Amino acid sequence: MSTARLFSARLRTVFEDVGHWALSTRAGLKPSRRLPQQASPRLLSVGCADHAKRQELPGKKPLSEKKLKRYFVDCRRVLVCGGNGGAGASCFHSEPRKEFGGPDGGDGGNGGHVILRVDQQVKSLSSVLSQYQGFSGEDGGSKNCFGRSGAVLYVQVPVGTLVKEGGRVVADLSRMGDEYIAALGGAGGKGNRFFLANDNRAPVTCTPGQPGQQRVLHLELKTVAHAGMVGFPNAGKSSLLRAISNARPAVASYPFTTLKPHVGIVHYEGHQQIAVADIPGIIRGAHQNRGLGSAFLRHIERCRFLLFVVDLSQPEPWTQVDDLKYELEMYEEGLSERPHAIIANKIDLPEARANLSQLRDHLGREVIALSALTGENLEQLLLHLKVLHDAYVEAELGKGRQPLRW
């Protein structure tokens, strides 16, 4: 019998044994546990497919505000070291029938710089490492071959990063495309070809590469936005930002829900965009580092105009405006005098209606009463926001400066 026939006969015997075993197993099962004989292969395949679908990794779930706080970093200490320069070479030209070829050692390559570059996609300093080492240059070679210089190492930082060294501000990266050389690379060494002179026709001297610059820098992030919403905890700032933009900060009924600044973009006609920042809640004594303290007061410095959000359901809501202005003034002189608007939130509550007239009488100025929950009177806020932005743009152009654009 040929080999092919013998193999097919053995394979047929194996399948018959498997079929007899399946029938005997089916007969031993109870009627309620039996599967239809014809549909068993199909059910098996469908079951495997369903199991594979269940085994697929689910999509990323949105992080909670507590976890986001873990990844949001607005202060970082960084050790930056430039790349070391390559060493120069000491060698002589060797060629047949040429006894005195002369020196031909090349210079070493320069070390690479470490440069801080602003990237609008980066929102926090959490991606910045604590130490950076630049790329070193290559050593020089024979035949007057110079070493390759080290590549530049770019460190991406968010817009609004302050660079400090020894308590002194050395750079302010507040616009897109800004760069700052954090550490210079070392110069490459000289080969013996560099030292060739009339009185020294066969120099053997070569110099090593210089080490890169080493600095300890403190990076501090200050959120850059057109408008900054300032208010006490649970005043409804996050709810208001969710109502006027696509930002989704956490909202809850307990204080200090917002643990990091959020920036939302409000869109207008003509592709105009206004950035509004939700600053974490400020309490009395914040300038003395109480509550979240000055860790988030500095994010207000970059805002061109302010939105004071007042909880209208609280008794004597005008005291909130006075306390907020006092805290800002104590933190930085003139901060409370920036262009601003007063927003009375939670007008949908019954007790808020009675406080609205008293608030307007005490402040003696326009108050925008609205409800972030129901969306009542949000149009007035958007129109007033546009007026404040247009005034800011006109003032910047009058001073010969380009206004902030998103």
Side-chain angles (χ1 to χ4, degrees):
M1 184 180 293
S2 63
T3 305
R5 291 182 179 179
L6 181 61
F7 176 74
S8 62
R10 288 183 179 179
L11 189 62
R12 190 181 305 110
T13 304
V14 170
F15 278 115
E16 289 177 357
D17 293 341
V18 172
H20 289 307
W21 173 82
L23 290 175
S24 61
T25 306
R26 174 182 171 80
L29 291 175
K30 294 181 180 180
S32 60
R33 290 190 172 184
R34 292 181 183 177
L35 295 175
Q37 186 173 358
Q38 298 296 332
S40 58
R42 180 175 177 80
L43 289 175
L44 180 62
S45 62
V46 173
C48 292
D50 293 342
H51 179 70
K53 287 181 180 180
R54 285 196 292 275
Q55 291 296 323
E56 292 179 359
L57 293 176
K60 286 187 176 181
K61 296 182 180 180
L63 296 176
S64 64
E65 185 70 18
K66 185 175 182 180
K67 291 183 179 179
L68 282 174
K69 168 64 178 175
R70 193 181 311 164
Y71 302 121
F72 179 79
V73 179
D74 57 359
C75 190
R76 180 76 83 182
R77 178 183 179 273
V78 184
L79 172 64
V80 287
C81 303
N84 299 324
S90 177
C91 54
F92 290 87
H93 182 70
S94 177
E95 186 179 345
R97 295 182 299 275
K98 193 171 184 180
E99 183 176 1
F100 303 103
D104 67 348
D107 299 343
N110 298 323
H113 306 323
V114 180
I115 298 180
L116 304 179
R117 174 189 284 176
V118 173
D119 186 358
Q120 196 169 5
Q121 302 300 322
V122 180
K123 304 301 181 184
S124 168
L125 295 176
S126 58
S127 60
V128 179
L129 305 180
S130 59
Q131 183 175 353
Y132 286 96
Q133 173 65 52
F135 298 101
S136 298
E138 295 182 358
D139 297 339
S142 59
K143 299 182 181 179
N144 293 321
C145 291
F146 285 26
R148 178 183 298 175
S149 297
V152 177
L153 176 61
Y154 289 98
V155 181
Q156 310 297 335
V157 296
V159 181
T161 302
L162 275 180
V163 184
K164 296 183 178 180
E165 184 178 18
R168 181 175 57 91
V169 178
V170 294
D172 186 0
L173 308 177
S174 59
R175 296 189 178 275
M176 276 298 301
D178 286 352
E179 293 182 355
Y180 175 69
I181 301 179
L184 295 171
K190 300 297 183 181
N192 63 339
R193 180 70 175 82
F194 177 80
F195 298 97
L196 179 64
N198 292 331
D199 56 348
N200 189 4
R201 305 303 300 172
V204 295
T205 304
C206 63
T207 59
Q210 298 295 321
Q213 186 182 16
Q214 181 172 332
R215 303 171 68 185
V216 177
L217 302 177
H218 294 269
L219 305 184
E220 184 179 294
L221 174 61
K222 294 183 178 180
T223 303
V224 176
H226 294 111
M229 289 195 293
V230 185
F232 283 93
N234 272 1
K237 301 182 297 297
S238 299
S239 301
L240 185 57
L241 186 64
R242 292 169 68 101
I244 64 177
S245 70
N246 291 328
R248 290 295 175 264
V251 175
S253 58
Y254 53 85
F256 296 110
T257 309
T258 302
L259 298 177
K260 77 181 191 71
H262 290 270
V263 178
I265 306 300
V266 183
H267 298 270
Y268 291 90
E269 295 181 355
H271 305 284
Q272 191 175 22
Q273 298 177 345
I274 298 179
V276 181
D278 174 19
I279 309 300
I282 298 174
I283 65 172
R284 295 176 179 87
H287 69 280
Q288 299 174 350
N289 213 19
R290 293 180 183 175
L292 296 178
S294 57
F296 292 107
L297 277 173
R298 64 167 172 263
H299 292 282
I300 309 175
E301 297 180 30
R302 302 282 189 178
C303 299
R304 274 51 177 183
F305 44 91
L306 306 177
L307 303 176
F308 290 102
V309 182
V310 178
D311 186 357
L312 202 56
S313 63
Q314 298 295 325
E316 299 183 355
W318 55 88
T319 59
Q320 301 179 36
V321 181
D322 298 335
D323 292 338
L324 290 173
K325 288 186 176 181
Y326 174 76
E327 294 298 331
L328 296 182
E329 193 67 26
M330 292 301 295
Y331 176 74
E332 180 182 340
E333 186 177 356
L335 187 58
S336 63
E337 300 300 327
R338 292 186 181 180
H340 61 272
I342 307 297
I343 300 174
N345 195 14
K346 304 183 182 181
I347 192 62
D348 54 304
L349 299 179
E351 59 271 19
R353 299 281 181 178
N355 294 332
L356 179 58
S357 59
Q358 301 178 12
L359 177 62
R360 286 173 173 167
D361 294 339
H362 279 80
L363 296 180
R365 57 169 298 165
E366 180 186 3
V367 176
I368 303 175
L370 53 81
S371 173
L373 180 62
T374 63
E376 180 182 353
N377 208 21
L378 284 180
E379 295 82 1
Q380 185 180 356
L381 171 61
L382 295 177
L383 292 175
H384 195 78
L385 192 63
K386 181 71 165 54
V387 172
L388 290 174
H389 179 263
D390 292 343
Y392 155 71
V393 171
E394 185 179 355
E396 289 294 305
L397 294 177
K399 297 177 182 178
R401 297 181 298 190
Q402 287 296 325
L404 174 65
R405 295 186 182 275
W406 280 78

